[in-house]
Amino acid sequence: MAAKNISFFFFLHLAAYSFFAYFITRDEEAKLFCLIILLSFFYLRGIYASNGFKTFSLKTIVVLAITFRLTLWFMIPNLSDDFFRFIWDGQLLTKGFSPYQYLPTDFIEKFPQEKYLMEQVYNGEIKHFPNGMNSKNYYSVYPPLQQILFALPAFFAKNNFYSNVILLRLIIIVGEIALILLMVRWLRRLNLSEHLVSLYALNPLVIFEITGNLHFEGWTIFLFLSSLYLLKQKKTKTAGIVYALAILVKLIPLIFLPFFFFQLTKKNLLVFYGFTALTLMFFSMLFFPSFAWLVHLMTSVGLYFNQFEFNASFHYLFRAVGFALVGYNPIGVLAKIIPLMTLFAILALYYRLRKMRNPKDHFIAFALALLIYYALATTVHPWYVVYFVALGVFTPYRFPFLWSLAVLLSYTAFSEIGSVQEQLHFIALEYLILLIAVCLDFKKHPPWKLQKSN
């Protein structure tokens, strides 16, 4: 790409991300979607046009990716209020309390002297998040290693709310840079073009939700890919430890854990699973000296499946059928049936693909397992799609990148400050786009033929 065109791309995106960071709140629907349309146009052009990202040098991609993320460094998250809980948990740890020990509502009653937590985190002082923390009535759902990542900024920021936010983002940006560089190493190992890293590095959803809104999916993906890389280097013990660390940031890698049962030799399997289990046990003993605290965590995770609903696909269809048959939302029943369906379907997939030995096909298997999981999930927040974007870099599929743009339609639920009201016609459009993209990908690269090719 000519230097003039690169300069245009750079300054246009720099302005767009600056506008997103400092001049938009999530209720300003018109501004937000104009920005999304603009960024989506250039992202799709980068994927499909002959003079798109393919003409960027690796150095250019990395510089653009880092610069766009640094542009967001000083913003207050504007699309998700989860960061209130991140700060709350980190502050509790630095003050000697466990985030699994007290409900926030109970903590405020028992320790009213903690005015910082009460005023800036618990009650909130931000216009577009007037109620502060959104999880006051349940225990933290975030695993131990993520809690450590929350505590580090809290330790250095002390009681300064804004400093806590920008230090959290520093950790996020460091993780993003490490992940992008690791992706480049994976692409080289798989004999794929290095420019494909741009599909993650320059993805608008990734920049919005990971760097902008402080979600830690990037760290999970980095640790997950690091573990896979170590396995390929025959460093099975270290791979098991790192895999456990990925789980200890986010629980999603648990979905992929059964895959290795069909891929590793018995000896390596025992070593890998053994060191994964030992690492999980070590952190559990540190963070759950009381069994009740572990129960608190699991209870809160259970609420995720039993009560929360957002941007779902098949679940909403099941819910509609339930309303028609019994006259009420059957989420309580569905929450017991759907996880079993999901587990069975994923295990069946892994068994079907058990003879795969090509690492490229392994990434396809992970993407398909994740697709099954989210297809049946009750809640699919936009940042969950970041996992697909990362895995899609190593597959021939393009549906992850199209979904990463279509999922932005779910932001229409936040058109009013302080409330969440989903627009189901936009959700239907999002999943129609995804369905078409998946069908086109599967027609061109049928996943049911993977095993036959090995």
Side-chain angles (χ1 to χ4, degrees):
M1 180 178 283
K4 183 178 179 180
N5 290 335
I6 293 177
S7 296
F8 174 75
F9 180 92
F10 173 75
F11 286 111
L12 177 70
H13 282 69
L14 193 66
Y17 285 120
S18 297
F19 187 68
F20 163 76
Y22 306 109
F23 299 100
I24 286 182
T25 57
R26 70 177 182 175
D27 58 293
E28 296 178 307
E29 201 172 52
K31 291 181 182 178
L32 180 59
F33 276 90
C34 285
L35 186 63
I36 287 171
I37 289 170
L38 174 68
L39 292 173
S40 297
F41 170 79
F42 280 96
Y43 183 71
L44 290 173
R45 186 175 180 272
I47 294 175
Y48 293 108
S50 59
N51 60 340
F53 297 148
K54 301 179 183 66
T55 59
F56 283 20
S57 69
L58 178 61
K59 181 179 178 180
T60 298
I61 292 169
V62 173
V63 169
L64 291 174
I66 294 174
T67 303
F68 295 157
R69 285 162 171 80
L70 290 176
T71 302
L72 276 55
W73 193 349
F74 298 102
M75 73 176 281
I76 295 293
N78 57 9
L79 299 178
S80 168
D81 54 2
D82 288 350
F83 70 99
F84 283 110
R85 186 68 193 232
F86 302 164
I87 294 174
W88 174 274
D89 286 2
Q91 288 289 334
L92 283 187
L93 280 171
T94 61
K95 297 176 189 301
F97 300 99
S98 169
Y100 312 115
Q101 185 177 6
Y102 297 104
L103 292 172
T105 49
D106 294 341
F107 184 86
I108 288 297
E109 291 179 4
K110 292 182 179 180
F111 305 98
Q113 69 273 19
E114 299 292 348
K115 292 183 179 179
Y116 166 76
L117 289 168
M118 183 184 298
E119 294 172 359
Q120 296 196 61
V121 183
Y122 186 85
N123 291 326
E125 295 183 349
I126 299 174
K127 176 184 175 182
H128 49 287
F129 297 127
N131 300 317
M133 188 166 47
N134 63 11
S135 52
K136 299 172 184 177
N137 295 310
Y138 57 86
Y139 301 98
S140 182
V141 298
Y142 302 108
L145 184 54
Q146 194 171 2
Q147 297 289 351
I148 294 174
L149 296 177
F150 297 160
L152 287 174
F155 176 79
F156 290 102
K158 304 302 180 184
N159 287 340
N160 188 298
F161 180 84
Y162 185 62
S163 295
N164 213 316
V165 169
I166 62 176
L167 289 176
L168 274 170
R169 187 165 288 113
L170 174 61
I171 291 176
I172 293 288
I173 291 173
V174 169
E176 284 289 271
I177 294 172
L179 174 55
I180 290 168
L181 296 178
L182 178 60
M183 283 183 167
V184 172
R185 294 191 69 175
W186 259 115
L187 288 167
R188 290 170 177 166
R189 186 179 184 93
L190 297 173
N191 294 317
L192 295 171
S193 173
E194 293 177 350
H195 83 271
L196 290 171
V197 75
S198 62
L199 301 179
Y200 179 90
L202 302 179
N203 183 279
L205 174 71
V206 173
I207 297 174
F208 282 177
E209 290 293 1
I210 303 301
T211 305
N213 289 286
L214 299 178
H215 292 113
F216 281 77
E217 273 65 20
W219 269 101
T220 304
I221 297 165
F222 169 71
L223 292 168
F224 172 68
L225 292 182
S226 296
S227 178
L228 297 183
Y229 200 86
L230 289 165
L231 273 178
K232 296 302 177 186
Q233 293 182 315
K234 310 299 183 183
K235 299 178 180 178
T236 311
K237 296 177 183 177
T238 310
I241 294 171
V242 174
Y243 199 95
L245 296 180
I247 296 170
L248 290 163
V249 177
K250 292 281 187 177
L251 299 178
I252 282 293
L254 287 171
I255 296 171
F256 308 131
L257 203 53
F259 175 80
F260 301 100
F261 181 83
F262 301 105
Q263 294 296 318
L264 299 178
T265 63
K266 290 182 180 180
K267 179 181 178 181
N268 286 337
L269 183 67
L270 288 174
V271 172
F272 179 72
Y273 279 176
F275 275 83
T276 300
L278 287 172
T279 306
L280 293 174
M281 289 171 60
F282 172 76
F283 276 87
S284 295
M285 288 187 291
L286 286 179
F287 279 80
F288 304 106
S290 168
F291 182 72
W293 297 4
L294 180 59
V295 172
H296 290 166
L297 170 65
M298 299 312 297
T299 301
S300 295
V301 172
L303 290 175
Y304 173 88
F305 296 100
N306 286 278
Q307 294 187 14
F308 301 156
E309 296 174 300
F310 184 81
N311 193 38
S313 53
F314 281 102
H315 171 74
Y316 283 170
L317 297 177
F318 298 150
R319 184 181 69 179
V321 172
F323 269 116
L325 294 177
V326 298
Y328 60 85
N329 186 349
I331 186 172
V333 176
L334 292 174
K336 295 179 176 62
I337 298 174
I338 289 179
L340 294 176
M341 293 172 54
T342 304
L343 178 61
F344 177 80
I346 291 175
L347 290 177
L349 170 72
Y350 290 155
Y351 180 77
R352 171 66 179 81
L353 302 177
R354 65 192 182 280
K355 295 182 180 179
M356 292 191 314
R357 295 295 179 266
N358 187 337
K360 295 179 186 178
D361 291 344
H362 293 175
F363 285 105
I364 294 176
F366 296 138
L368 294 177
L370 206 58
L371 186 62
I372 292 170
Y373 176 70
Y374 285 135
L376 297 172
T378 59
T379 302
V380 183
H381 287 299
W383 53 92
Y384 295 0
V385 181
V386 169
Y387 293 109
F388 282 104
V389 177
L391 293 172
V393 168
F394 309 106
T395 75
Y397 296 150
R398 290 297 172 262
F399 79 81
F401 313 114
L402 293 173
W403 192 13
S404 74
L405 303 178
V407 76
L408 299 174
L409 291 167
S410 65
Y411 291 156
T412 55
F414 309 121
S415 58
E416 294 184 14
I417 291 177
S419 67
V420 179
Q421 186 63 47
E422 287 191 276
Q423 308 293 320
L424 292 182
H425 52 286
F426 283 113
I427 302 301
L429 176 59
E430 172 197 340
Y431 283 105
L432 177 62
I433 293 171
L434 174 61
L435 179 62
I436 293 172
V438 169
C439 289
L440 291 174
D441 273 340
F442 284 6
K443 182 179 180 181
K444 190 173 182 179
H445 304 282
W448 48 88
K449 292 186 179 180
L450 284 176
Q451 190 164 314
K452 294 180 181 179
S453 66
N454 291 305

